[in-house]
Structure formats: structure tokens, C-alpha cells
Amino acid sequence: MYVVKSPLSDASLMTVSEALQGALVDLVDLALVAKQIHWNVVGPRFRSVHLQLDEVVDTARKYSDTVAERAAALGIPPDGRAATVAVGSGIGVTPEGWVDDTTAVGALVDALGAVIVRMRERVEATGEPDPVSQDIFIGITADLEKHHWMFQAENG
């Protein structure tokens, strides 16, 4: 059943659908990971890391909405349910309990790095079938790479 029909070919739509759904899952999980660490970070850099984590959460939430709405505009029903995110995310295990600031920063470097690698693959995959979605992935990747740089600089 199509509620919204895309102008893309079926083959292009399949590629773009996989890219958008994968990005949605990664972004929802990135927001959850950053918020989990945000609540549990401790240490001498608590305040700066705590606030920096919220910036990542804001970015991930903003782009998850952008990606989900792009999918819907193409007739692809976005799936951000917890079970879908848990199975499909490219982010590793998040530390539980209190997390010292150095470990927290390292965890975000790793999480951002994992998402960036997958976003760059999506940039490549969508260039031909849908430059509009590719443009979204380019913007996401640029912002995530900025966060990645800043977290790497935190631990020197």
C-alpha cells in the first residue's frame, strides 16, 4: 500500500530507503547514547562535557527528524521504534553507571566515528539515485564530524 508515491525508480527507492532508515536508526541511537552519558558523566570536566553532550543530542534529534521526514516524503515509512534502533544501530555498547569524563569523551568519539563512517557510505550510495537525500547526508556528516573533532580535542 502506497500512501505517498515517490518519483524515484524502484531500484533507486530501495537504495535510498536503506540509507534513510539506517541513518534514522543511527541518529536516534546517537541521541540516546549521548543523553545516557550526559546523565552519568562525572569528573573535573563534568560541566563542559555535560553541556557538549547536549549539543550532540540536539544535532542528532534535529537530523533524525529531517531524515524521517525525507523518508516519508518519498513514501518510505520511517521506523524509529526502540526495537528497530537496538537491532540496527552501528554504535557499540554504551558504558553504564557513572562514567568519568575521559571515558565519556572517548565513548562519544567512538560513537560519532561509527556513525560518521556509515553516513559517508550513505553519501556515496545516494549520489546517483537521489542527490536530495545525498545533500541531507552531507550536511549531517559535516555536523557530526565537527562534534567528532571537538570531542577528540577534549582528550588531546
Side-chain angles (χ1 to χ4, degrees):
M1 170 179 88
Y2 285 109
V3 175
V4 176
K5 178 66 175 129
S6 169
L8 298 177
S9 71
D10 287 344
S12 292
L13 191 58
M14 177 66 83
T15 299
V16 174
S17 174
E18 289 173 7
L20 289 167
Q21 180 58 41
L24 177 60
V25 164
D26 283 348
L27 290 165
V28 168
D29 198 27
L30 181 60
L32 293 171
V33 165
K35 198 50 124 168
Q36 178 66 26
I37 295 171
H38 165 91
W39 293 324
N40 290 288
V41 66
V42 294
R45 296 180 295 161
F46 162 79
R47 181 158 174 74
S48 64
V49 172
H50 183 80
L51 295 173
Q52 193 174 356
L53 287 161
D54 264 344
E55 293 173 7
V56 173
V57 171
D58 291 345
T59 297
R61 286 179 177 167
K62 174 183 85 172
Y63 281 124
S64 65
D65 194 52
T66 299
V67 165
E69 289 180 356
R70 177 67 184 156
L74 294 176
I76 305 160
D79 187 355
R81 296 173 299 158
T84 303
V85 172
V87 171
S89 176
I91 300 174
V93 176
T94 304
E96 62 181 82
W98 301 119
V99 182
D100 69 85
D101 52 7
T102 299
T103 302
V105 168
L108 253 292
V109 167
D110 291 346
L112 285 161
V115 174
I116 289 165
V117 165
R118 289 165 52 116
M119 285 298 172
R120 286 188 159 275
E121 291 169 357
R122 294 174 186 122
V123 168
E124 186 70 28
T126 56
E128 180 64 33
D130 185 22
V132 175
S133 293
Q134 182 192 45
D135 186 55
I136 291 169
F137 293 132
I138 289 169
I140 293 169
T141 304
D143 283 354
L144 293 180
E145 286 179 344
K146 182 176 179 183
H147 287 300
H148 192 236
W149 154 57
M150 291 183 173
F151 272 100
Q152 288 178 81
E154 280 283 337
N155 278 348

